[in-house]
Amino acid sequence: MADKKKKDSELSYDELVAKLNKTKKDYMDIRFQAVVGHVDNPLQKRTLRREIARLNTLIHQHDLEKIRAAAREAITAGN
């Protein structure tokens, strides 16, 4: 599990967004299969939900870094 977190945190912003979109699609497919009644691994739904949350967190951290960098630039430019 720690390897997955480390690997995901090394991805670029665009790669994170792409992986998030793919994971969301996979999650919707699993949900549809659950409604239809054919799910091989019911725990996969929970795993995908957690992966989506982890990716959202990493994307948010990238956004915060951009905002902080812009704020530092504004502060140093003002002095």
Side-chain angles (χ1 to χ4, degrees), residues 34-52:
V35 170
V36 172
H38 176 69
V39 177
D40 294 331
N41 183 3
L43 293 178
Q44 189 176 9
K45 188 174 170 185
R46 178 175 66 186
T47 304
L48 288 173
R49 256 196 341 262
R50 290 179 179 178
E51 173 108 10
I52 290 169

Side-chain angles (χ1 to χ4, degrees), residues 9-22:
S9 65
E10 294 172 354
L11 295 175
S12 72
Y13 183 82
D14 293 332
E15 292 169 332
L16 285 170
V17 171
K19 187 170 183 178
L20 175 66
N21 290 334
K22 181 190 178 310

Side-chain angles (χ1 to χ4, degrees), residues 2-4 8 11 16 18 23 25 27 29 31 36 40 49-51 53 55 59 65-66 69 72 78:
D3 293 334
K4 180 180 277 191
D8 286 346
L11 295 175
L16 285 170
T23 307
K25 182 188 176 307
Y27 178 70
D29 291 343
R31 282 186 58 200
V36 172
D40 294 331
R49 256 196 341 262
R50 290 179 179 178
E51 173 108 10
L55 291 169
I59 290 170
E65 288 174 14
K66 289 177 188 176
R72 282 192 293 270

